[in-house]
Each structure stands twice: as C-alpha cells, then as structure tokens.
C-alpha cells in the first residue's frame, strides 16, 4: 500500500513513477487471493473524487489525474474480462472432471473396484476426505469405503453412532468442514456419506452422494447392509428428518 501511494505521489508531481505497475500488482494479488475484481472500479471512482478535491484548480495536474485514472479503468476492465473468461474455462473443466469421475464411479461394478475408485477419483475434485458409513445397530456405525485427510485409507472398524465421524481420527486432523449426505435403498436409510467441504458447489456433494449410493447397490453391497436396523436406527431417523451437515 505504501509503495502504491508513493508511486501515485510521484505521478502527480510529474515524475516518472510506477503507479500503474504498482496498481497492476495489486490487481494480481486480488486475483490470486480469489477476491472480487469488480470492486476495483468503485475504488477508482472514490480515488478520483479524493484526488480532484486535492488538486483543486490546477489544470495540469487535473489532466494528469484524469489520464492516470483512465489507464487504471482500462487495465481493470481488461483484466476483469480475462479473469471472467478464465473462470468460465475453469468451470467447464470442473464440469468435465465431475462427469468423468461420476462415470468411473458408476462403472465400478465390484465393491473393491468401487472403494478404489472413491479413493482415486474424489481427490481429483478437491475433496480432501470422504467416509462412506453403514449402520450396524442402534449404537454403532462402520465405515465401508473412503479415505482420510492425507489420502490414508479409512479403518473399517465400528465406532459409536453418536460421533457420526470417527472422533479419534478427525480430532487429530486440522479443523475441517464436513457435509453429510444420507444413503437409502427402497426408501430405507442404510448409511451416509461424509465429504470434506472444498470449493465445489453444494449440489455437487449431493449428486456424488446419490451416485455413490447407486454404485453401492449395483456393486452388491446391499447383501452386507441387510444386517442393519434400517429406519429404526437413531441416525437414520435424523437423516430422514433432513439433517444434512455436521
């Protein structure tokens, strides 16, 4: 910020400053940080009002201010346009990636292949961890697929149902945000999928949960899940009531 103001002062004094270059670096920093570049235009407008009040009746400096701010507006518009085009390309690429991942999950007709596909494919979407969990009884649940933060395989050991996710594992991990998607078969809940939230839209996690649920059924896991208590399980009742997140 100090360099930006010093460069502006040099420009207004008639010296060959580097204000435009300094402003360009600010735009780059905002873009890398994922900020909203469109706010730069109102900022330029506010800067113009302050500079005009400062310059007063000095016609030479006034022309210099107007020319300088015009350069900033043009630069901002060009960078904003390129940034929006890049975002559209990235969104299209994410859509293609999601389509490919979904196709590979659906095509996994064997349970072992499905669990491997979940570990291999979901990280490509930026999902840091995933647990596919089945109901065991009224007191316990058990992971059947997924991966932990860092890519480790999920331990397939029962844990208390009230924890929803294995506390011993996630208490040791950095703070993460999770979303829970219920799984059901013929209207009866049999488990849930827990995703670590990333940059994806919320509906993507819901779609992935539906795809994983369908893939589990087609992979023949329903024979294993027949031992569960179905909708009588307390977590199943919570899911049926629409509790989506942890």
């Amino acid at each position: 910020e100090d360099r930006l103001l010093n460069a502006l002062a040099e420009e207004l004094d008639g010296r060959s400053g580097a204000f435009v270059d300094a402003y360009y670096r600010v735009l780059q920093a905002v873009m890398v940080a994922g900020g909203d570049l469109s706010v730069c235009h109102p900022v330029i407008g506010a800067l113009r009002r302050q500079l005009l009040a400062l310059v007063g009746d000095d016609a030479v400096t006034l022309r210099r201010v107007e020319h300088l701010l015009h350069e900033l507006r043009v630069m901002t518009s060009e960078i904003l346009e390129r940034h929006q085009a890049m975002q559209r390309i990235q969104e299209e690429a994410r859509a293609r990636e999601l389509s490919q991942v979904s196709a590979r999950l659906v095509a996994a007709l064997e349970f072992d292949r499905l669990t491997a596909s979940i570990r291999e494919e979901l990280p490509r979407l930026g999902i840091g961890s995933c647990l596919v969990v089945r109901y065991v009884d009224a007191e316990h649940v058990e992971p059947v697929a997924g991966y932990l933060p860092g890519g480790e395989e999920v331990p397939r050991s029962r844990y208390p149902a009230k924890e929803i996710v294995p506390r011993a594992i996630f208490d040791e991990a950095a703070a993460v945000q999770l979303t829970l998607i219920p799984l059901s078969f013929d209207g009866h809940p049999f488990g849930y999928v827990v995703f670590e939230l990333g940059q994806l839209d919320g509906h993507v996690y819901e779609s992935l949960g539906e795809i994983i649920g369908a893939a589990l059924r087609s992979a023949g896991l329903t024979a294993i899940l027949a031992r569960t208590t179905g909708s009588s399980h307390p977590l199943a009742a919570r899911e049926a009531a629409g509790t989506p997140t942890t």
Side-chain angles (χ1 to χ4, degrees), residues 1-245:
E1 182 179 349
D2 289 340
R3 269 184 297 183
L4 190 63
L5 294 176
N6 291 336
L8 175 60
E10 290 182 4
E11 294 280 359
L12 296 181
D13 286 340
R15 290 175 286 170
S16 179
F19 180 63
V20 174
D21 288 339
Y23 177 76
Y24 176 71
R25 288 193 292 272
V26 170
L27 287 182
Q28 285 184 313
V30 172
M31 186 166 56
V32 169
D36 184 4
L37 291 174
S38 64
V39 302
C40 293
H41 282 298
V43 169
I44 293 173
L47 178 60
R48 179 178 182 273
R49 289 191 294 272
Q50 294 181 10
L51 289 177
L52 292 181
L54 180 64
V55 169
D57 297 330
D58 187 339
V60 175
T61 305
L62 181 60
R63 285 195 298 271
R64 188 176 295 120
V65 167
E66 294 289 12
H67 175 74
L68 185 62
L69 295 180
H70 176 70
E71 286 190 65
L72 298 190
R73 292 191 193 95
V74 171
M75 176 184 293
T76 301
S77 296
E78 291 177 350
I79 292 179
L80 181 58
E81 184 177 350
R82 292 200 299 269
H83 182 58
Q84 290 172 339
M86 182 179 66
Q87 286 182 319
R88 288 193 295 270
I89 293 172
Q90 290 175 339
E91 289 171 1
E92 292 172 0
R94 281 195 294 267
R96 288 194 298 271
E97 189 81 8
L98 176 60
S99 177
Q100 293 170 359
V101 168
S102 300
R104 293 187 179 102
L105 291 175
V106 171
L109 300 180
E110 298 177 355
F111 180 64
D112 288 344
R113 182 61 243 168
L114 175 60
T115 58
S117 294
I118 290 173
R119 293 196 307 271
E120 294 166 3
E121 301 296 338
L122 295 191
R124 294 172 52 190
L125 301 176
I127 299 176
S129 60
C130 169
L131 276 77
V132 183
V133 179
R134 76 177 183 97
Y135 300 132
V136 177
D137 53 40
E139 301 294 332
H140 300 90
V141 293
E142 179 184 37
V144 295
Y147 56 95
L148 302 177
E152 297 180 39
E153 189 172 353
V154 174
R156 297 186 185 180
S157 55
R158 299 180 182 185
Y159 61 90
K162 63 182 180 181
E163 292 184 10
I164 303 183
V165 296
R167 181 178 300 170
I169 295 173
F170 281 91
D171 278 356
E172 297 176 358
V176 295
Q177 291 184 307
L178 305 173
T179 185
L180 184 150
I181 308 297
L183 301 175
S184 62
F185 179 61
D186 285 344
H188 300 289
F190 64 76
Y192 53 89
V193 185
V194 178
F195 297 107
E196 180 180 339
L197 289 176
Q199 300 300 316
L200 300 174
D201 292 333
H203 70 87
V204 174
Y205 299 102
E206 295 178 2
S207 298
L208 287 172
E210 293 174 359
I211 291 169
I212 290 174
L216 286 171
R217 295 194 295 273
S218 65
L221 189 59
T222 50
I224 298 175
L225 299 171
R227 301 195 303 270
T228 65
T229 57
S231 58
S232 65
H233 193 284
L235 280 183
R238 288 174 59 184
E239 292 172 11
T243 304
T245 59

